[in-house]
Amino acid sequence: MALTRDDVEKVSLLARLQLTDDELNSMTEHLSQIIQYVHQLDEINTDDVAPLAHTLDITNVLADDVVADCLSREAALQNAPQRDEECFRVPAVL
Amino acid sequence: MSIISKSATQQREMLRTGELTSVELTTAYLEQIKSRESAVKAFVHLDEQQALDAAQQIDTRRAAGEPLGDLAGIPVAVKDNLCSEGVPTTCASKILSGFIPPYDATVVAKLKTADAILIGRTNMDEFAMGSSTENSSIQVTSNPWNLQCIPGGSSGGSAACIAAGFAPLALGSDTGGSIRQPAALCGIVGLKPSYGRVSRYGLVAFASSLDQIGPMTGNVEDAALLLQVLAGHDSHDSTSADVTVDGYVENVTQPLSGLTLGVVDEHYGDGLEAEIKSSVEEAIRVYESLGATIKHIEMPHASYGIATYYIIAPCEASSNLARFDGAHYGHRADPSTSDQTSTSEDALTRMYRSSRAAGFGDEVKRRIMLGTYALSEGYYDAFYLKALKVRRLIRQDYDNAFKDVDLLIGPVTACSAFKQGEKTADPMAMYMEDLFTVTANLAGVAGISIPCGLTDAGLPIGVQLQSAPFQEDKLLRAAYMFQHATDWHQRRPEF
Amino acid sequence: MSSPETQPMGGTPYAVVVGLEVHVQLKTNTKLFCRCPTTFGQPPNTQTCPVCLGLPGSLPVMNRHAFELSMKTALALNCTIPYFTKWDRKNYFYPDLPKGYQTSQFDLPMSEHGHLNIFSENDEFADKQIRILRAHLEEDAGKSMHDEAAGVADSRIDLNRTGTPLLEIVSEPDMRSAAEAKAYLQELRLILLYLGVSDCNMQEGSLRCDANVNLHIDTPAGTIATPIVEIKNMNSFRAVQRGIEFEVGRQYTLWQKDKQVLGDMPKQTRGWDEGAQVTRAQREKEESSDYRYFPCPDLVPVVVTDEEIQAMQQQIGTLPASLRKQLLDDHQLTAHTSAVIVNQGLGFADYFLALATAIDDSRLAGNWMQGEVLRILNEQEQTIQQFKLSAAELGELLKFIQSGDLDNSKAKDVFAVMIESGQSAADVMAELGIEKVDSSQLEELCQRLVDNNPKIVADVQSGNPKAVGALIGQARKENSNVDPGQVRQICLALIEKL
Ligand SMILES: [Mg+2]
Ligand SMILES: [Zn+2]
């Protein structure tokens, strides 16, 4: 399962990163190294092992349906790179 | 003896008795910062005037006999990945330059309620990804013990801050070792609480199932003092545990009798520096002399910690960092200057890709790419799912170990602080820094690093104690026993 | 009728295969993962907080009520509720999705394997069962609006709706026509309204429907399936029906040309263009389907016990299908009247039941509900909850019909005044001078008319009972309160005795 430069380019679109030619090359090399390293997990038989996504064994954390304060519109928009009086602005969503 | 060489616990007492004012204390730290910060570069943002104003207020309130919080008048430095209303929060990333959160992280709110003086924001590896604080887009922090060396990371700014006497207390965050490793390399105390012990609300997420906020301090009693303020259930964090918070401050000086410590033989492999090995062995002997029993135990999956971690953490990170896309906050690249190589893409995709390309540093990009790849179609089972299964085996290793012993003892790092630039070209070498620390995050257990020696080159060495989940009380008491019997925690760098 | 086949003129027979994905906005006070309100139509970006803005560091906490409402719905749809359910992240970049992922459910949804029976008044679908694959809880995205006025390529983003709880209900591909699909959606909507879990307003987007459509075509080489197309942007029941009908025709025509079958190309998404009444291909990104689902580390699973499921089952109350059966079997209403009442919703049905009980006459109650009451509600754009008269008050009026004190047309006049003034039936009748004519007085009047109109009497006697109408007219002229029916009855009896 060698990682190719092509794979890396595809992943860079999924991740919404624009990589330069140089970056694509070094990324391919570094990711390949890491992936090769993590393949050591294949040594372990995990057939009967359940995955562990949460180390805390807690369930049903549910909040009451009671309205709390919102941010003011000004606070909501204060960090927007581009905005108008009411909304965030972004390049056209087609 | 200068006031800044005293512990926060002592300062607190002096403030209470009126022997010291918060303005005096805060001024003393600000003066130390003024004279040394240019060499260390621990802070990315200093709130000098606000700190003095707040100190003045505390003094006034104290004089008026008002009831005050548990950290009243004591300066605290905060890692730059914890949101503080109205204060820039950048995670040392260009993508968050200029970002001002409209809300407080729960721990920041708790510090405010405790009447602490928030003096500034500390440097870190970008988004807490790194082990040297060199992955900061703002500056490289130096280790006060040797300015050519790194302070460790990612909470290197907080660690250096304590070592350099810029503040008595600091907050760090630890996803794979980011509190304990810099604490060890800077000769201070760093505690990573059990997962769920401290609310993550307002901590800019790196890997949500691993991240924990914890105290970084000059000594064990101060760690107890700060943890007492931070710990506890928070209804804003679904992964915050509703488990009783013990009286850390009250109990910390009480020695534990009949203590059994586990030594993991897998920790003493080839990579371990001889000086570290002998210092940790010496620490074990100290515990024996204090009546502890030592047991050798096996953690058969511990050596897979790094591989497991470098799947789970990047997967979660790739998703957690998707929100930094230039749409609602943070850096947006000017589309006219962005790379036009893929002209077939729509303006929105170009905006996303160029903003993220310009905003993130190399290591962050690497982990986003790795996580995106590992979660993508056809690879999920081989990487992510596999790692979650090994994660359970690692947790089982701990569960088994804690049936036999109270705490585990071992090294924090394989090497002492290295030279700046030494490992920047080799990601894998850098990742190995977390070898002895990541398993605690994967399993959700607590760990503490305490100073236990100096190398011949004069660089600090730390020893790590780990406890079963929610046994921070035991961890702190055991750490204090060692500290009480030694004087490593009193060493401070001359610089 | 499980698979009606269509025989195109001179063409190959095919079956239409439709599955629907319905997104329902749950009627909670607050959002799924934060406590911002979910009020519709507020000024842009005034209902947000760090959580639903996706600000760095913010964390979600699940809304208990949203979970309860989705469980109630799932049970009403005959779904199984697993004991363990968890939340996953669906990762994709879009400016109305500030976190860069939607928190949804992937492999362990909170309910699965249900069904509902579709219905039509004329029994067109013979109570056909449509299976439900799953129903899962997820968060809504915000709104993006293309800014035409600016004349530049710019979109405006409003995050008020971001994080509103949605229940996504996915059917099996069990529908065999556009009409069946529409009937499914209508029955589903009715169930949701009866449960009170959603406003189900398609215009406001609280009920949204996407359709997956393809054809199974018989060919000499066996049955083939055309590529599946997902139709979006259908904002009314009519649009759902028309969109599917259009797509069926388009796919058949296309298949005749290109012979493409399922698997030859990825699933296509087409948008319904209401103006042009056609579906149009939507722009697609090649990697758009790789959502990189994984368990959300910020949320913990929910476990449900048998006791909780049973307790929720108790709260379901009347559903449209059982009510329909009740109206037909117990109340002997016509299929049409019963359908009208059921479709008006639970409040209307409850009103009917109260009225029928009050006057002990389901037919009369049904006719008035379907006629006068519904007319007034439509005219005044009211719901039954806003209706001026209680079932008891209306019942008083109808009792005057039953006792013969009022004929139907007079009753309507009285009803109109009651609606206007809010007075009781008896008060309105007194005010209008309508009173019951004493029976001896009536007999006397009729006797006088029979005596004074020998020609009319002769007409009746010669076998033309309609001629008695003239006597009724004269009686009303003398006393407007007489009941025409009674006059007819008495006069005919008197003539017969002659
Ligand atoms: Mg959905
Ligand atoms: Zn909100």
Side-chain angles (χ1 to χ4, degrees):
Chain A
M1 274 213 293
L3 185 76
T4 66
R5 194 177 183 280
D6 241 31
D7 295 333
V8 173
E9 200 166 356
K10 276 190 196 128
V11 174
S12 78
L13 173 60
L14 259 184
R16 294 293 183 277
L17 285 169
Q18 189 69 55
L19 300 181
T20 63
D21 273 355
D22 282 353
E23 282 176 319
L24 277 173
N25 291 333
S26 64
M27 192 67 82
T28 307
E29 185 195 323
H30 286 144
L31 292 189
S32 298
Q33 271 176 27
I34 301 166
I35 284 161
Q36 196 195 344
Y37 177 80
V38 302
H39 269 305
Q40 65 175 263
L41 298 188
D42 298 347
E43 297 164 10
I44 311 170
N45 182 337
T46 54
D47 290 350
D48 299 321
V49 183
L52 180 70
H54 287 93
T55 55
L56 267 181
D57 193 16
I58 53 177
T59 56
N60 296 40
V61 177
L62 300 160
D64 292 338
D65 187 25
V66 179
V67 172
D69 286 346
C70 292
L71 289 173
S72 69
R73 174 150 69 199
E74 206 36 50
L77 296 176
Q78 70 175 3
N79 286 296
Q82 234 192 316
R83 52 169 288 193
D84 53 34
E85 286 300 298
E86 298 183 319
C87 287
F88 299 93
R89 296 192 81 104
V90 295
V93 173
L94 298 173
Chain B
M1 194 173 163
S2 156
I3 186 63
I4 65 169
S5 55
K6 291 196 185 306
S7 71
T9 303
Q10 290 169 313
Q11 292 165 354
R12 185 167 170 250
E13 203 42 44
M14 293 169 74
L15 287 164
R16 201 180 316 200
T17 58
E19 212 179 317
L20 175 70
T21 66
S22 179
V23 170
E24 285 165 1
L25 182 63
T26 307
T27 306
Y29 281 110
L30 288 171
E31 272 169 12
Q32 175 78 352
I33 292 169
K34 213 167 286 173
S35 73
R36 297 285 188 270
E37 167 65 356
S38 61
V40 181
K41 300 197 180 74
F43 288 97
V44 296
H45 177 87
L46 253 185
D47 270 324
E48 196 173 338
Q49 196 51 54
Q50 286 96 315
L52 285 170
D53 291 349
Q56 181 62 65
Q57 257 187 23
I58 296 295
D59 289 340
T60 307
R61 285 172 56 201
R62 197 187 296 274
E66 278 184 44
L68 294 171
D70 285 343
L71 298 178
I74 301 174
V76 181
V78 174
K79 188 175 178 180
D80 201 31
N81 58 355
L82 291 159
C83 289
S84 185
E85 186 179 344
V87 178
T89 297
T90 71
C91 296
S93 180
K94 276 191 250 173
I95 208 150
L96 274 177
S97 63
F99 175 73
I100 313 252
Y103 79 107
D104 278 335
T106 296
V107 291
V108 169
K110 284 188 167 194
L111 290 178
K112 288 180 178 175
T113 305
D115 293 316
I117 308 297
L118 301 178
I119 59 163
R121 317 271 308 169
T122 59
N123 196 27
M124 56 186 283
D125 286 298
E126 183 179 4
F127 285 106
M129 296 178 186
S131 303
S132 67
T133 313
E134 291 166 292
N135 297 335
S136 163
S137 75
I138 299 165
Q139 63 200 7
V140 172
T141 298
S142 288
N143 190 321
W145 293 85
N146 179 337
L147 297 173
Q148 269 78 57
C149 288
I150 56 95
S154 65
S155 310
S158 287
C161 180
I162 300 297
F166 295 162
L169 304 171
L171 296 191
S173 70
D174 190 316
T175 306
S178 283
I179 287 176
R180 291 159 290 160
Q181 183 256 18
L185 301 196
C186 288
I188 64 155
V189 173
L191 191 159
K192 182 205 89 77
S194 316
Y195 187 79
R197 182 46 105 190
V198 175
S199 169
R200 296 185 295 115
Y201 188 74
L203 164 67
V204 181
F206 160 15
S208 312
S209 79
L210 303 165
D211 297 341
Q212 268 294 293
I213 299 160
M216 302 182 78
T217 61
N219 56 71
V220 176
E221 59 273 30
D222 286 0
L225 177 65
L226 187 46
L227 183 64
Q228 197 82 65
V229 170
L230 305 177
H233 178 250
D234 176 17
S235 61
H236 288 104
D237 175 0
S238 305
T239 64
S240 152
D242 201 355
V243 177
T244 314
V245 176
D246 297 306
Y248 305 127
V249 173
E250 195 187 321
N251 301 343
V252 65
T253 53
Q254 307 296 313
L256 295 155
S257 59
L259 188 64
T260 312
L261 297 181
V263 173
V264 181
D265 291 330
E266 284 87 346
H267 283 170
Y268 297 87
D270 294 340
L272 193 62
E273 254 175 34
E275 287 179 286
I276 294 185
K277 187 164 183 264
S278 59
S279 285
V280 172
E281 281 165 355
E282 177 56 28
I284 292 168
R285 278 193 290 279
V286 170
Y287 273 108
E288 280 179 306
S289 75
L290 294 170
T293 314
I294 306 298
K295 265 192 176 170
H296 287 263
I297 56 156
E298 282 183 9
M299 298 271 287
H301 303 95
S303 63
Y304 295 104
I306 295 285
T308 307
Y309 177 82
Y310 276 94
I311 296 171
I312 293 172
C315 283
E316 293 186 17
S318 71
S319 173
N320 283 333
L321 271 61
R323 67 187 65 198
F324 306 104
D325 61 5
H328 309 98
Y329 47 80
H331 176 76
R332 181 185 296 185
D334 179 355
S336 63
T337 61
S338 73
D339 183 12
Q340 297 285 319
T341 48
S342 16
T343 43
S344 64
E345 279 171 7
D346 57 277
L348 183 64
T349 305
R350 283 207 307 276
M351 185 280 274
Y352 282 147
R353 296 188 75 175
S354 54
S355 299
R356 288 164 63 79
F360 292 133
D362 289 343
E363 183 58 31
V364 174
K365 286 180 190 170
R366 194 144 48 224
R367 298 202 196 182
I368 290 173
M369 288 290 291
L370 183 58
T372 305
Y373 172 74
L375 286 175
S376 68
E377 226 168 289
Y379 297 101
Y380 181 91
D381 287 4
F383 292 112
Y384 186 70
L385 195 63
K386 180 77 185 184
L388 289 189
K389 289 177 173 184
V390 179
R391 182 180 192 175
R392 182 173 297 278
L393 294 174
I394 290 170
R395 171 63 187 249
Q396 284 170 359
D397 283 355
Y398 273 105
D399 289 344
N400 292 335
F402 289 128
K403 280 177 202 156
D404 292 338
V405 301
D406 295 303
L407 302 168
L408 299 178
I409 186 165
V412 183
T413 58
C415 320
S416 52
F418 49 89
K419 290 268 162 40
Q420 290 170 3
E422 197 178 303
K423 296 187 182 178
T424 40
D426 184 355
M428 277 314 306
M430 193 71 94
Y431 294 173
M432 289 305 158
E433 279 295 303
D434 294 333
L435 186 61
F436 303 134
T437 48
V438 273
T439 48
N441 302 78
L442 289 165
V445 306
I448 190 169
S449 169
I450 48 176
C452 73
L454 287 173
T455 64
D456 288 348
L459 290 168
I461 296 169
V463 60
Q464 178 174 224
L465 298 172
Q466 297 178 76
S467 79
F470 304 106
Q471 299 205 354
E472 284 83 358
D473 188 58
K474 210 192 252 182
L475 202 58
L476 285 162
R477 287 167 69 183
Y480 186 83
M481 285 166 70
F482 179 81
Q483 179 183 290
H484 193 66
T486 59
D487 66 353
W488 297 111
H489 66 288
Q490 284 166 357
R491 313 288 179 94
R492 282 295 172 263
E494 304 284 334
F495 75 104
Chain C
M1 282 237 311
S2 64
S3 174
E5 294 208 329
T6 309
Q7 176 79 58
M9 200 73 92
T12 321
Y14 62 78
V16 175
V17 179
V18 182
L20 296 187
E21 279 174 31
V22 176
H23 285 86
V24 180
Q25 245 177 43
L26 296 174
K27 216 154 74 180
T28 54
N29 296 322
T30 67
K31 296 183 178 182
L32 186 52
F33 297 121
C34 64
R35 305 291 80 82
C36 289
T38 52
T39 320
F40 179 79
Q42 293 302 108
N45 295 305
T46 56
Q47 295 194 141
T48 67
C49 72
V51 179
C52 56
L53 287 173
L55 291 187
S58 63
L59 294 172
V61 182
M62 169 84 58
N63 184 333
R64 182 196 313 279
H65 193 46
F67 189 79
E68 288 165 351
L69 292 182
S70 51
M71 198 162 124
K72 188 175 176 185
T73 309
L75 287 171
L77 296 174
N78 306 294
C79 289
T80 305
I81 310 287
Y83 297 122
F84 179 95
T85 186
K86 68 174 174 73
W87 273 262
D88 302 284
R89 292 184 182 176
K90 178 181 181 178
N91 295 285
Y92 65 96
F93 288 87
Y94 212 71
D96 63 14
L97 190 71
K99 298 192 301 298
Y101 56 83
Q102 180 194 32
T103 309
S104 181
Q105 300 197 275
F106 184 52
D107 55 337
L108 298 172
M110 51 81 49
S111 69
E112 53 195 348
H113 308 312
H115 61 86
L116 65 78
N117 291 355
I118 55 172
F119 166 80
S120 98
E121 211 181 297
N122 59 15
D123 211 20
E124 185 184 340
F125 308 119
D127 222 16
K128 176 173 172 172
Q129 191 169 90
I130 308 294
R131 290 169 304 156
I132 289 160
L133 174 65
R134 58 187 276 162
H136 71 254
L137 196 49
E138 63 183 28
E139 57 180 337
D140 206 347
K143 258 193 202 154
S144 40
M145 300 156 279
H146 195 62
D147 191 357
E148 309 282 351
V152 289
D154 226 12
S155 288
R156 307 174 72 224
I157 309 295
D158 171 12
L159 297 180
N160 279 352
R161 202 181 62 184
T162 312
T164 300
L166 294 180
L167 187 66
E168 180 175 334
I169 303 166
V170 184
S171 85
E172 296 279 3
D174 284 354
M175 286 148 279
R176 292 290 169 272
S177 67
E180 284 189 7
K182 186 181 167 197
Y184 166 84
L185 189 59
Q186 279 172 332
E187 187 67 8
L188 179 59
R189 174 174 176 272
L190 215 46
I191 291 170
L192 297 165
L193 288 173
Y194 272 56
L195 292 170
V197 298
S198 173
D199 292 327
C200 290
N201 186 329
M202 287 186 89
Q203 271 69 48
E204 291 181 2
S206 58
L207 181 74
R208 282 168 255 163
C209 176
D210 302 332
N212 285 293
V213 180
N214 76 338
L215 308 179
H216 288 183
I217 305 177
D218 286 343
T219 73
T223 304
I224 62 93
T226 57
I228 296 175
V229 168
E230 181 173 358
I231 318 174
K232 290 187 179 289
N233 305 339
M234 300 176 292
N235 296 322
S236 66
F237 291 100
R238 192 181 147 72
V240 170
Q241 181 159 17
R242 297 282 296 119
I244 295 169
E245 281 166 357
F246 176 86
E247 190 53 30
V248 167
R250 194 193 66 82
Q251 285 188 23
Y252 187 67
T253 311
L254 185 66
W255 175 77
Q256 286 177 307
K257 270 189 269 174
D258 69 6
K259 301 287 177 209
Q260 295 253 46
V261 299
L262 190 64
D264 287 351
M265 54 155 140
K267 182 169 139 180
Q268 201 193 13
T269 305
R270 298 178 69 86
W272 173 245
D273 181 336
E274 183 68 37
Q277 296 278 300
V278 296
T279 64
R280 294 186 196 283
Q282 289 191 338
R283 199 177 57 94
E284 245 152 316
K285 297 184 181 111
E286 51 165 317
E287 88 298 351
S288 63
S289 62
D290 196 348
Y291 291 121
R292 290 160 285 131
Y293 280 101
F294 76 106
C296 179
D298 289 330
L299 289 165
V300 299
V302 173
V303 296
V304 184
T305 63
D306 281 326
E307 291 70 35
E308 285 165 327
I309 294 172
Q310 277 154 22
M312 187 54 80
Q313 194 91 51
Q314 302 302 312
Q315 289 182 37
I316 287 178
T318 309
L319 290 173
S322 64
L323 180 65
R324 244 179 240 126
K325 197 169 151 41
Q326 187 188 350
L327 297 188
L328 291 172
D329 297 353
D330 303 350
H331 293 272
Q332 302 283 311
L333 297 187
T334 64
H336 179 66
T337 305
S338 128
V340 170
I341 290 172
V342 171
N343 290 348
Q344 289 304 310
L346 196 54
F348 194 84
D350 282 341
Y351 192 104
F352 160 78
L353 293 172
L355 183 61
T357 305
I359 65 170
D360 195 25
D361 182 346
S362 301
R363 282 288 175 90
L364 181 62
N367 288 339
W368 270 73
M369 293 302 293
Q370 178 190 335
E372 292 309 292
V373 174
L374 194 51
R375 187 176 57 76
I376 292 291
L377 293 182
N378 288 341
E379 261 174 37
Q380 308 199 341
E381 294 181 356
Q382 283 180 334
T383 64
I384 192 74
Q385 285 79 9
Q386 299 164 304
F387 187 56
K388 210 155 189 177
L389 304 181
S390 68
E393 287 164 339
L394 180 55
E396 288 307 314
L397 174 66
L398 300 194
K399 279 178 192 164
F400 285 111
I401 299 180
Q402 288 173 314
S403 66
D405 292 348
L406 275 177
D407 62 73
N408 215 44
S409 89
K410 269 231 168 56
K412 287 179 187 172
D413 297 341
V414 175
F415 176 73
V417 179
M418 288 169 75
I419 296 291
E420 281 283 299
S421 66
Q423 287 169 289
S424 72
D427 288 353
V428 173
M429 285 164 66
E431 202 158 282
L432 293 179
I434 301 172
E435 50 194 54
K436 189 172 180 185
V437 181
D438 185 86
S439 61
S440 61
Q441 209 183 334
L442 190 61
E443 294 262 355
E444 189 196 315
L445 172 64
C446 291
Q447 187 64 59
R448 194 150 31 83
L449 291 172
V450 169
D451 294 347
N452 296 347
N453 293 287
K455 181 157 175 5
I456 296 170
V457 171
D459 269 7
V460 174
Q461 282 172 328
S462 66
N464 179 14
K466 277 191 182 165
V468 83
L471 294 182
I472 299 170
Q474 287 187 40
R476 293 188 78 169
K477 221 176 270 169
E478 285 199 29
N479 185 344
S480 64
N481 286 331
V482 298
D483 179 342
Q486 276 181 295
V487 172
R488 173 192 306 275
Q489 211 181 344
I490 296 167
C491 287
L492 287 174
L494 288 172
I495 292 167
E496 197 157 301
K497 274 193 237 163
L498 287 177

